[in-house]
Amino acid sequence: MMITCNCAETTCEIQDDAFKAERKAIRNFLVEKKGYLPEEIKELVPLVIEVGQKRLYTMIDLLVNVAEKPAIVIRINEGSVVSRERGTIAAARLISPDAQPPFCVQTNGEDFSIIDTITKKCISESLEGLPSRQEMLIFLNSFKPKPLTPKQIDGEKKILFFYDGVG
């Protein structure tokens, strides 16, 4: 199903929001079960990257900021969760290259991969594996990610471009 919008620039066609129900369920879980505040969770955060002369417009389904620090990036895609993990890690690293969120999540709405953004290791296959808000506050106080170097940023852009622009 396509939806026509009339934005300020032109009339454009956008796809129906295929993952709205999944985002709502994950948001509710984070608020009700893990104690995150609704205002800490942003939906459909745009991420624009440039690789050479090409520009990619992509999206982070949910971004959780705690104490004004990025904490969790969540992306929802169809199909195999494992095969899309690296693209999600790249998106998480690029959303805040100076202070990457410690955790990212790749899901298809049913299967989950909770990933340590720094080590790139899967730490859980359930949303229950995410820290609560209180645990996250404690964790973020001692979490000191190293800013990405320009070379690392370029590499993450290429990876994300491959996953979201080509793959």
Side-chain angles (χ1 to χ4, degrees), residues 3 7 15 24 33 36 45 59 63 79-82 91 93-94 101-102 108 110 131 140 151 153:
I3 300 170
C7 59
Q15 287 187 339
K24 182 178 180 183
K33 303 284 188 205
Y36 290 94
V45 178
M59 202 71 71
L63 173 62
S80 170
V81 169
V82 174
R93 289 177 166 190
L94 290 171
N108 57 16
E110 295 176 15
L140 288 173
K151 184 177 180 180
I153 291 170

Side-chain angles (χ1 to χ4, degrees), residues 11-154:
T11 300
C12 53
E13 304 234 342
I14 57 174
Q15 287 187 339
D16 188 19
D17 189 350
F19 298 112
K20 185 175 183 177
E22 288 83 355
R23 270 195 316 280
K24 182 178 180 183
I26 294 168
R27 174 188 264 282
N28 288 344
F29 175 85
L30 291 171
V31 171
E32 295 168 11
K33 303 284 188 205
K34 292 293 184 171
Y36 290 94
L37 305 176
E39 60 269 20
E40 294 175 323
I41 305 169
K42 296 179 185 176
E43 288 190 34
L44 298 175
V45 178
L47 182 58
V48 180
I49 62 166
E50 293 184 10
V51 175
Q53 300 295 322
K54 296 180 181 178
R55 182 174 287 164
L56 173 69
Y57 296 89
T58 191
M59 202 71 71
I60 292 186
D61 288 280
L62 296 164
L63 173 62
V64 181
N65 290 304
V66 177
E68 299 182 22
K69 297 177 184 175
I72 307 167
V73 162
I74 301 172
R75 293 193 357 135
I76 308 168
N77 298 96
E78 293 177 339
S80 170
V81 169
V82 174
S83 67
R84 300 194 60 86
E85 286 178 353
R86 190 58 185 91
T88 296
I89 294 166
R93 289 177 166 190
L94 290 171
I95 199 70
S96 182
D98 290 333
Q100 305 97 62
F103 303 100
C104 58
V105 178
Q106 176 60 54
T107 182
N108 57 16
E110 295 176 15
D111 302 314
F112 295 87
S113 186
I114 314 303
I115 306 160
D116 179 314
T117 306
I118 306 304
T119 66
K120 306 179 212 169
K121 303 281 186 212
C122 177
I123 56 173
S124 179
E125 293 181 349
S126 165
L127 284 180
E128 292 290 343
L130 285 172
S132 68
R133 182 178 189 277
Q134 197 60 38
E135 292 167 333
M136 184 66 80
L137 282 166
I138 294 166
F139 182 85
L140 288 173
N141 279 333
S142 62
F143 180 66
K144 305 289 185 233
K146 294 180 183 173
L148 296 180
T149 65
K151 184 177 180 180
Q152 288 172 316
I153 291 170
D154 186 52

